[in-house]
Amino acid sequence: METESMKLTKDELRQLEEFERRRIALNQSEWWDRLSMDQKFGVYQLQKFGFDLAFIRNTEDGPLAVVRRGSEFASVNHEGDVDLSPDIVLRD
């Protein structure tokens, strides 16, 4: 039984659907499979410090692995170079 307070606005429903689409798009192992060998090594090193692979972003310079530890982000480029202070803009 649905009450009036449980109804979502169209905008809230769209945001929820977008969140779910992103969340189920790829699981952790599928992201991992998309990394280059150099990126896997860089991400593995960051995992030792509590970072987890969050997603891969396609850039003009090639795929960029983005890892997260709480509110901190780091990135690993396609050559395996680690950036502990990346300039990343996240979508809502």
Side-chain angles (χ1 to χ4, degrees):
M1 182 164 126
E2 187 174 322
T3 65
E4 210 44 47
S5 64
M6 293 174 60
K7 290 184 180 178
L8 298 175
T9 66
K10 286 183 181 180
D11 189 49
E12 290 170 330
L13 185 58
R14 182 193 56 76
Q15 289 175 352
L16 181 61
E17 289 170 350
E18 179 69 12
F19 172 78
E20 288 298 320
R21 182 191 63 78
R22 287 187 195 155
R23 191 177 135 192
I24 63 173
L26 293 176
N27 66 36
Q28 192 77 4
S29 67
E30 290 171 319
W31 283 122
W32 184 258
D33 291 342
R34 292 176 176 229
L35 297 176
S36 70
M37 191 57 68
D38 291 331
Q39 283 177 311
K40 287 179 181 179
F41 182 75
V43 170
Y44 176 73
Q45 296 301 317
L46 290 168
Q47 286 176 331
K48 292 179 182 180
F49 296 97
F51 285 90
D52 289 312
L53 181 60
F55 58 88
I56 299 171
R57 182 168 285 173
N58 292 317
T59 69
E60 292 178 5
D61 297 325
L64 183 71
V66 179
V67 296
R68 181 178 191 166
R69 177 177 64 188
S71 61
E72 296 176 83
F73 288 91
S75 65
V76 182
N77 70 14
H78 67 283
E79 295 177 342
D81 297 327
V82 173
D83 183 350
L84 296 175
S85 299
D87 184 22
I88 295 176
V89 177
L90 299 177
R91 297 177 286 210
D92 290 332

